[in-house]
Amino acid sequence: MTAAAEPDPQALLSVRGLTVEIAGTPVVQDVSFDIRPGETLGVVGESGCGKSVTSLGILGLVPGQGRISAGRVLFQGADLAASPKALARVRGSGIAYVSQEPMVALDPTFTVGRQLAEGVARHTGCGRRAARARAVELLGRVNIPDPAGVADRHPHELSGGMAQRAAIALALAGEPRLLIADEPTTALDVTVQAEILGLLRTLAAETGLAVLLITHDWGVVADLCDRAVVMYAGQVVEQADVEALFTHPLHPYTAGLLAASPHAALPGQPLPTIPGTVPPPGAWPDGCRFAARCALVTEACAVPVALTEPAPGRTTRCVHADRLVQEGTRR
Amino acid sequence: MTTAPPAAGSPPLLELDGLTVEFGQGRRRPPLRAVDGVSLSVAPGETLGLVGESGSGKSTIGRAVLGLTRVHAGAIRFEGVDITRATPRARRDLSARLQVVFQDPYSSLNPARTIGGTLAEPLLVHERPTARQAAEKVADMLERVGLPPETADRYPTQFSGGQRQRIAIARALMPGPRLVICDEPVSALDLSVQAQVMNLLAELQEAMGLSYLFVAHDLPVVRHLSHRIVVLYRGRVMETGPAEELYARPVHPYTRMLIAAVPEPDPGRQRSRRAVPQGGAVAARPPLATATGCAFAPRCAHALDLCHRERPLLLPVGAPDRSGPAARSAACHRAADLLTQR
Amino acid sequence: MTDAPVSASPTGGRRRGLVRGLLRRRTAVLALGWLLLLTLATAAAPLVTGHGPLDQDLNSVLTGPTRAHLLGTDTLGRDLLSRLLFGGRSTLFAVAEAVVVYLVIGVTAGLASGYLGGWVDWVIARTADLVFALPGIVVILVVLAVFPGNLHAAMVTFGVIGSPGLIRILRAQTLRVREELYVAAARVAGLSRPQILRRHILPRLTSTVVVQAALFAAIVVTVQAGLGFLGLGAPPPAPSWGGLVADASQVIDRDPWMLLPAGLPLVITVVALALLGDAVRDASVEAWAPTAPAVGGRRAPHPPPGGRPRRRRPRQR
């Protein structure tokens, strides 16, 4: 396996060999990564790669008859996958969650302030007035203008950006050490996105909050993340520091995905594309799952490929990683 | 842009002249001006990108051109003919030359019909082909968009999002249109699929001499596919110009804010970009666009008193001899100073 | 440029899927079977039984089932099987009348109201509300008082009175389907309104219409039997199911058997229609499974490949 098969004792969250099944079919297989305190880790991939299911799996919230069938999720020493009690203790207060749609987190029938106060009271056990005051304080911390006024409004009265800030405030109510943000800015305008990303960066810098950011947008990864994990067809295919990942990807999928970004497009030229489509869960090939679409494919790719560590701090699931190191990538 | 720019001097295919679209908001509030005096034109063989955030009116403009939304004021001219209030009969004739590709590949195809049936539908309107002729045309079009022709009797649920979008494109091209309104056609697609569909659109433009009115919120996507870009904010045109130049040297403060907000996939560059303060007010809920004054003034770092009082006209910027596709214009009282700044 | 091969999923046509889904359910098969049997038997009534419905045989009065009279006889020696079948004809015909009127008014008005909107919608909706407010049974009794013995008038009236329910449901559904993107695409493609209604909107409404028609038919059977029971239907001695039940109730102390052939077919028919309606509703929900959230069971993991279901706020101020 990889050199980091053992959980990192300094890590805040250590996921090892996580496998999640939905209705008997694995959708996430053997996923491992660490997040250190104060670090922002990006999980990048396209639809169906399992990135959202991974994050939900960490919190024990896998949808539709899903369950963790293997692996460990170590948070501050406790294995969340094995112990529902530890998980219940950690949800909200150790690990918090922000999703793409703020309306999912916010109940439309209650005011924002009431929901925040409820969250605060649940995690700190303080009285009603104190909870209310803390709620307004939290709204201020996420840069909402006129926090007291907003606290008295209902979620549907807020714009998308404000609602997402309120959802982040709600997530912070329990003073979590780790925030899992699942595509938090995908549904927002780009100027609003810039502000939310700035907010997350400030929070991480000021409070040492660690962030697990799930996204499909390379720009967001470049802007916010320290390290990134690339997922494809339920597996981790590459993991690296963000600088290294962008300049020297060590997996053909990462390279292809980076090249497909319109930012990198040369005017007058067609965009480089990755031929073919992603194999769906249940139809994963035995060997390398990317082989059918890869330009570097050889017979060595027909057997299951393990993660290797070609350079310190970087892992990849490609047998041709050395070729990529030498040749660089077509960028 | 991926295709050669159109010949200068040819008469515009589509012209919008002071287009205004309003939506009622009940009896107690003034109607919402989703589109407020927008003028633009699309030349044959050109891709005009309409860029804006939510509430900019870009989708409404597309719908108005297609006759899906009623126009309050202004004119829409297609091939020189005024189609602003076209009768249903006129719309039918128009549909052979003016088509649409929608954003959502999951609901733009009727799930209860085979894709062959859906693709043959536009043919029913104009010609009455025999079943065999229709099947041939359908197979031909499927091949053009990169799908196996045998799949004509499958149902939309059996295709992936990218494939469905190709089918939607094929449907739009069946009657052989001259202008296709693309309403965020790649926004709901994954990055790699998005690249494939964008390449397809460019290829088809080259092969069939199409024009696109490309509506999107994603600036890099629009920049790559468009010859010219129009930037919209709250129903008004803020700036227009050739795609690459507008992106490299934006004049209007809103365009600059928009471009600055788009994160680049380059960590080093992002860090240095962040170091430059962008200015501009926090995007709190701005008040309803005032009838007087520039729509962007409440959020603008360069706003003067004049900007709050008087709505700026869309005027040419830069060298006065620039015209046609190279023309640039901006609706800003301070365009001249901002051109030299930065 | 070609993508990977399209999935060879067995989900075929919507309509084929619906019928197949229906036939997979035992209750649907039984219900359909009964209704089919009933229709055939009543249509071929003279072939099935040798006796006419009005032939009296005063030697065998109120007999139980015998070889000559499979279901027995009534107080005047008339063969019950024969009376049942001929009476069934009248029942089925009445049901057909009422349902046809119900569908014609309900579908046209519901579609028009939902698709055209504006003042058409306003007029239809208000009229429907008004008719909805009328007490149905009372109106029918009044009609029967004005046109005594005229079952056709009564059934047509009943169809009219029942239609607002269908109008409401179809209006709501049409409003929803009208907003779908593929309808907009069809409009842009230049299809005329009737073409759009026929190709895109009506097919989405079929299962609703079938369900509502089945349930309405069940109600009509009951009401028609009730009218017959009260003697307000076809004038005696013409047989009717309700009339048979009335006769049976009068001789219940002497011959309790008669109630069975009189009442059971009635009950079974109503139940069959209701079960059929239920089954069609369930089967049509299933047929939508690929696009709608699954009701338990297997489904592909969310989201489908190639596309992110991207939802944006419609308006941000």
Side-chain angles (χ1 to χ4, degrees):
Chain A
M1 206 18 107
T2 114
E6 282 313 304
D8 183 351
Q10 289 177 336
L12 184 62
L13 177 76
S14 220
V15 176
R16 288 287 175 273
L18 182 67
T19 302
V20 180
E21 281 178 16
I22 293 186
T25 317
V27 291
V28 169
Q29 206 167 51
D30 195 28
V31 163
S32 308
F33 55 80
D34 296 316
I35 306 180
R36 282 176 221 115
E39 180 181 47
T40 300
L41 179 73
V43 179
V44 193
E46 298 178 299
S47 319
C49 70
K51 56 193 195 296
S52 283
V53 175
T54 304
S55 68
L56 291 171
I58 292 173
L59 285 169
L61 295 172
V62 185
Q65 301 176 11
R67 58 184 203 92
I68 297 180
S69 57
R72 290 181 290 170
V73 178
L74 293 156
F75 182 74
Q76 291 179 330
D79 185 357
L80 303 179
S83 160
K85 257 194 235 149
L87 190 55
R89 260 201 306 271
V90 139
R91 273 198 202 129
S93 55
I95 306 181
Y97 183 80
V98 172
S99 74
Q100 175 175 338
E101 269 295 333
M103 286 314 172
V104 168
L106 299 172
D107 189 326
T109 52
F110 295 112
T111 61
V112 170
R114 166 110 178 241
Q115 295 181 55
L116 273 173
E118 191 179 30
V120 169
R122 160 82 175 72
H123 289 294
T124 61
C126 60
R128 223 165 38 132
R129 204 164 301 173
R132 160 82 190 192
R134 176 96 182 107
V136 175
E137 190 192 321
L138 279 170
L139 287 173
R141 185 123 75 89
V142 295
N143 290 337
I144 288 184
D146 184 22
V150 168
D152 287 331
R153 291 213 214 124
H154 291 265
H156 61 263
E157 297 174 47
L158 304 177
S159 68
M162 298 259 270
Q164 193 64 304
R165 287 175 200 269
I168 294 174
L170 182 59
L172 295 176
E175 317 263 337
R177 301 306 314 141
L178 170 67
L179 177 68
I180 300 183
D182 192 343
E183 309 238 27
T185 55
T186 302
L188 302 174
D189 284 328
V190 70
T191 49
V192 181
Q193 168 175 282
E195 289 165 16
I196 300 285
L197 293 179
L199 171 66
L200 288 174
R201 200 178 310 117
T202 318
L203 285 171
E206 282 175 8
T207 65
L209 180 69
V211 180
L212 178 66
L213 180 72
I214 294 153
T215 180
H216 64 277
D217 186 336
W218 284 119
V220 170
V221 175
D223 195 36
L224 198 60
C225 303
D226 303 313
R227 279 175 42 238
V229 168
V230 181
M231 285 188 68
Y232 183 80
Q235 285 175 324
V236 170
V237 294
E238 188 166 359
Q239 192 178 158
D241 282 343
V242 139
E243 302 265 9
L245 190 73
F246 279 93
T247 48
H248 290 109
L250 288 182
H251 191 283
Y253 175 65
T254 315
L257 205 57
L258 281 167
S261 166
H263 275 105
L266 299 169
Q269 300 295 323
L271 288 167
T273 58
I274 310 176
T277 52
V278 187
W284 289 334
D286 288 325
C288 172
R289 294 180 188 167
F290 188 62
R293 309 172 70 186
C294 186
L296 301 178
V297 63
T298 61
E299 313 89 52
C301 306
V303 291
V305 183
L307 278 172
T308 54
E309 198 171 343
R314 301 197 62 169
T315 57
T316 175
R317 202 182 284 270
C318 181
V319 295
H320 302 293
D322 43 342
R323 266 177 69 184
L324 288 165
V325 169
Q326 291 168 5
E327 295 169 10
T329 51
R330 42 186 180 96
R331 274 193 29 95
Chain B
M1 68 270 131
T2 326
T3 57
S10 34
L13 191 58
L14 176 75
E15 258 184 291
L16 264 55
D17 200 353
L19 184 70
T20 302
V21 177
E22 282 185 357
F23 293 114
Q25 292 193 99
R27 235 167 300 169
R28 254 170 278 161
R29 286 151 66 179
L32 175 71
R33 285 214 157 171
V35 181
D36 195 349
V38 168
S39 302
L40 53 87
S41 68
V42 183
E46 173 181 55
T47 302
L48 182 71
L50 279 187
V51 168
E53 301 179 295
S54 342
S56 59
K58 57 191 193 298
S59 279
T60 313
I61 290 177
R63 296 178 73 96
V65 172
L66 294 167
L68 296 171
T69 304
R70 206 140 32 111
V71 168
H72 186 251
I76 304 175
R77 279 186 289 275
F78 182 72
E79 294 181 322
V81 177
D82 189 319
I83 61 168
T84 324
R85 283 172 190 85
T87 60
R89 165 84 28 100
R91 282 275 161 206
R92 292 192 73 172
D93 300 329
L94 202 54
S95 67
R97 300 191 301 291
L98 177 62
Q99 276 292 333
V100 67
V101 176
F102 287 115
Q103 169 180 4
D104 189 348
Y106 296 100
S107 64
S108 64
L109 299 173
N110 189 335
R113 306 195 79 86
T114 61
I115 61 166
T118 301
L119 287 178
E121 204 168 60
L123 297 176
L124 288 178
V125 178
H126 302 286
E127 349 156 352
R128 302 295 159 110
T130 63
R132 195 151 50 94
Q133 285 173 328
E136 269 173 27
K137 286 202 172 190
V138 167
D140 179 54
M141 191 56 73
L142 279 175
E143 248 178 308
R144 271 197 187 212
V145 298
L147 288 171
E150 313 77 73
T151 56
D153 46 10
R154 304 267 175 98
Y155 287 82
T157 49
Q158 296 168 263
F159 295 89
S160 68
Q163 289 170 326
R164 288 195 214 191
Q165 204 61 321
R166 289 172 195 262
I167 297 169
I169 293 172
R171 173 179 55 191
L173 297 179
M174 285 299 282
R178 295 194 64 199
L179 174 65
V180 181
I181 315 272
C182 300
D183 191 352
E184 309 236 29
V186 296
S187 306
L189 303 175
D190 281 323
L191 202 53
S192 60
V193 180
Q194 176 175 286
Q196 290 174 345
V197 175
M198 281 170 67
N199 286 349
L200 175 67
L201 285 171
E203 247 177 59
L204 291 169
Q205 177 171 50
E206 186 79 52
M208 299 175 69
L210 298 169
S211 302
Y212 292 133
L213 183 64
F214 196 87
V215 176
H217 65 277
D218 192 337
L219 208 43
V221 166
V222 177
R223 179 186 73 157
H224 187 252
L225 272 186
S226 311
H227 297 103
R228 281 177 42 239
I229 293 182
V230 170
V231 178
L232 293 164
Y233 180 73
R234 298 180 133 252
R236 301 179 186 179
V237 176
M238 295 286 117
E239 185 169 359
T240 73
E244 286 301 324
E245 202 182 315
L246 187 135
Y247 202 81
R249 280 176 296 281
V251 170
H252 197 284
Y254 176 61
T255 316
R256 292 186 178 180
M257 182 196 257
L258 209 54
I259 293 172
V262 176
E264 276 183 35
D266 182 335
R269 267 201 51 80
Q270 272 305 106
R271 246 197 319 271
S272 37
R273 287 174 89 203
R274 277 203 306 268
V276 176
Q278 294 308 325
V282 168
R285 222 166 148 181
L288 291 176
T290 45
T292 59
C294 174
F296 188 60
R299 286 171 73 180
C300 186
H302 307 276
L304 304 169
D305 221 17
L306 175 64
C307 301
H308 291 274
R309 276 185 293 122
E310 202 179 295
R311 175 175 167 173
L313 299 169
L314 188 65
L315 298 169
V317 291
D321 57 340
R322 311 180 74 176
S323 62
R328 294 199 61 177
S329 50
C332 182
H333 290 297
R334 304 199 55 192
D337 332 323
L338 289 172
L339 190 58
T340 51
Q341 245 182 54
R342 178 142 108 71
Chain C
M1 181 76 101
T2 317
D3 300 49
V6 166
S7 92
S9 133
T11 46
R14 180 84 341 100
R15 210 142 311 158
R16 265 184 290 141
L18 184 60
V19 173
R20 209 179 295 142
L22 204 58
L23 294 178
R24 235 183 290 148
R25 299 183 139 72
R26 230 175 334 143
T27 49
V29 172
L30 288 175
L32 272 174
W34 167 260
L35 291 169
L36 203 59
L37 177 66
L38 187 65
T39 318
L40 287 176
T42 51
L47 301 175
V48 175
T49 159
H51 309 269
L54 304 177
D55 298 345
Q56 299 181 8
D57 182 3
L58 292 169
N59 287 327
S60 29
V61 162
L62 288 182
T63 62
T66 62
R67 200 111 68 83
H69 302 278
L70 284 174
L71 289 179
T73 57
D74 68 355
T75 46
L76 292 178
R78 295 176 289 201
D79 178 36
L80 281 181
L81 177 62
S82 164
R83 281 183 75 79
L84 191 65
L85 291 180
F86 281 90
R89 268 194 193 177
S90 131
T91 299
L92 288 182
F93 198 68
V95 168
E97 264 182 319
V99 169
V100 163
V101 171
Y102 173 77
L103 286 180
V104 164
I105 300 181
V107 172
T108 346
L111 262 183
S113 179
Y115 194 74
L116 298 175
W119 63 267
V120 174
D121 182 18
W122 192 89
V123 165
I124 293 180
R126 296 292 87 80
T127 317
D129 287 342
L130 200 63
V131 175
F132 214 48
L134 297 175
I137 310 271
V138 173
V139 170
I140 293 179
L141 293 177
V142 168
V143 166
L144 281 172
V146 174
F147 304 101
N150 190 342
L151 203 56
H152 302 295
M155 288 300 111
V156 166
T157 315
F158 200 46
V160 170
I161 290 183
S163 58
L166 187 62
I167 293 178
R168 283 244 185 102
I169 293 176
L170 289 185
R171 174 180 179 273
Q173 279 219 299
T174 308
L175 278 177
R176 206 171 36 84
V177 178
R178 186 182 71 168
E179 299 310 316
E180 295 272 4
L181 273 180
Y182 56 81
V183 173
R187 279 171 71 186
V188 173
L191 264 63
S192 63
R193 227 182 253 163
Q195 275 177 320
I196 294 180
L197 282 170
R198 192 170 34 90
R199 290 173 67 90
H200 292 285
I201 309 219
L202 261 181
R204 294 288 288 267
L205 304 178
T206 347
S207 50
T208 311
V209 169
V210 171
V211 170
Q212 294 300 317
L215 297 178
F216 183 67
I219 297 176
V220 173
V221 170
T222 317
V223 167
Q224 198 254 3
L227 292 177
F229 186 86
L230 294 174
L232 296 171
S240 75
W241 282 5
L244 282 179
V245 173
D247 292 343
S249 64
Q250 283 177 347
V251 295
I252 198 167
D253 49 338
R254 281 184 282 158
D255 179 21
W257 159 257
M258 191 173 158
L259 200 51
L260 278 179
L264 260 185
L266 188 61
V267 169
I268 296 178
T269 306
V270 172
V271 170
L273 284 169
L275 284 180
L276 183 64
D278 247 6
V280 171
R281 185 188 289 133
D282 289 346
S284 67
V285 166
E286 235 181 43
W288 283 110
T291 46
V295 185
R298 293 180 299 115
R299 70 181 283 251
H302 174 87
R308 259 177 295 122
R310 184 183 207 292
R311 281 164 293 125
R312 312 196 75 231
R313 289 202 139 229
R315 207 175 293 284
Q316 273 189 43
R317 281 191 213 98

